[in-house]
Amino acid sequence: MSAVAFFAALSAFFCGCTGGGREEQEEQNGGSYFVQLDIEPGDLSVDGVSVAGEEYASLMQELETLLNGLEDKISLDFAESDVSRINAAKAGEQVAVSEEMRALLEASASFSRISGGKFSPAVFPLTELWGFAPSDEGEYTVSRPEPSADEIARAAALSDLSLYTFGESVEKSEGGAKLDLGGVAKGYMCDRVVSYILDKYAGSRVDGIVRVSTSNSAYLGTVRENGIERGYNVAVENPRRLSTGIAYGLYLVGLSDVSVTTSADNYRCYVYDAKIYPHIIDPETGSPADRGIISVTVVVPNAAHEYPGAFADSLSTAGFCMSLTEAIAFFESLSEEYGIGALIVTKDFKYYSVGDLTVMNRSEYARYCNEYLGGDYDLDKIADVFAEGDIDSATEEIVPDARELEYIEKLESVLN
């Protein structure tokens, strides 16, 4: 998944807290925990009163323990995790898994079916082949030629979800088949955190923001400040910041009780022969996604699914592996069925909004802030990065903007 920043406060226009005990648990597990929880002091309130002081510290410790326990089961970074034991198993071997892993695998299989296979937790052999596995950490950005067609075909044959049988135990028909839940796990963890908080304060009104590892967020209730109640305003990172110098390119306004995830090509990627290779593997081609899309943000109403964060996580990955026209049609159908919204950004520096979303460009958002939120921005100094595209005129082929080519040159010089 991508590096995306979300901000609810007005001060975020231009621009993690965790509890204690991490060191002891890391030592017990022989490694480090990588999933970070971010609930800032003041971000969470119950019946209009901020969770603070000892209550906040205690809650954060409880949530960290929850996340560490989940990571123990579903992370590739631990040799005894459920997913690592599945990957190490021989063909036909029965691998008993935890309740959490069963739930996540069932949800992942469902998301894969909904996306027509564009999201798949089974592509780890391809992830390894392309050099984006955890064992390649520190080398992700190293420029390298593509694997051969035969290598891709062999890895693709093992990256097939139909090779698995899921239940109280997991069985695979090919020993070399491996799972990677990175495209859904953090969204699932965000869901579990939200569920824990809502259960803890059952019967009370909960407002707040939960973020797990920056790219997965849940927005609960509304913002209430200065006697005004409104939805959350969410800034989406500009994936072309390196060339434009602008951190946040677009804004989602008035969100409430939703989960949000973004996938983009500026996180864990490399450049070779003037082409960006992102870590997101397209199951159809067996190669890093290259459909003309550079960012996909998905907004799922929390009431739409048992695991809205995991759903959003998987859908942003799936959309990234589609052509623009395919992605638009896909998210339009999801909007009708689930109320889902999507924001798609393409290499020609255009954006497309699908579903019931209020999307604002930088200049429009500045005017909104000045008129309704007490802002004092100089509108003449605010430049837009992306132009709104016409959905009815969208095409499958995307011609890169000149700024896209400049970005690739700059990225290559920075990475190499």
Side-chain angles (χ1 to χ4, degrees), residues 222-294:
T222 58
V223 178
R224 289 183 284 178
E225 57 186 8
N226 301 323
I228 299 175
E229 183 173 352
R230 61 175 175 82
Y232 295 91
N233 301 331
V234 179
V236 181
E237 185 187 12
N238 169 21
R240 295 302 179 255
R241 177 178 183 174
L242 181 64
S243 59
T244 64
I246 296 174
Y248 308 110
L250 296 165
Y251 297 83
L252 304 177
V253 177
L255 299 182
S256 179
D257 290 317
V258 296
S259 293
V260 182
T261 299
T262 297
S263 293
D265 67 354
N266 61 326
Y267 168 70
R268 242 185 354 171
C269 65
Y270 67 92
V271 177
Y272 179 78
D273 197 22
K275 178 181 176 181
I276 298 175
Y277 290 80
H279 73 285
I280 301 173
I281 302 298
D282 186 334
E284 182 178 339
T285 65
S287 303
D290 182 25
R291 305 275 186 161
I293 291 174
I294 63 176

Side-chain angles (χ1 to χ4, degrees), residues 289-294 320 322-323 345-348 396 398:
D290 182 25
R291 305 275 186 161
I293 291 174
I294 63 176
F320 204 87
M322 299 178 182
S323 69
V345 184
T346 50
K347 289 183 179 180
D348 54 0
E396 185 171 328
I398 306 298

Side-chain angles (χ1 to χ4, degrees), residues 36-81:
Q36 297 296 312
L37 171 66
D38 183 3
I39 303 177
E40 295 288 346
D43 270 359
L44 187 67
S45 67
V46 178
D47 290 332
V49 179
S50 292
V51 176
E54 292 184 4
E55 182 182 7
Y56 170 79
S58 176
L59 174 63
M60 294 303 292
Q61 178 63 73
E62 294 167 18
L63 294 175
E64 181 178 298
T65 299
L66 170 66
L67 286 181
N68 289 351
L70 290 172
E71 200 168 351
D72 286 340
K73 298 179 177 69
I74 63 181
S75 173
L76 288 168
D77 295 300
F78 297 118
E80 294 304 314
S81 70

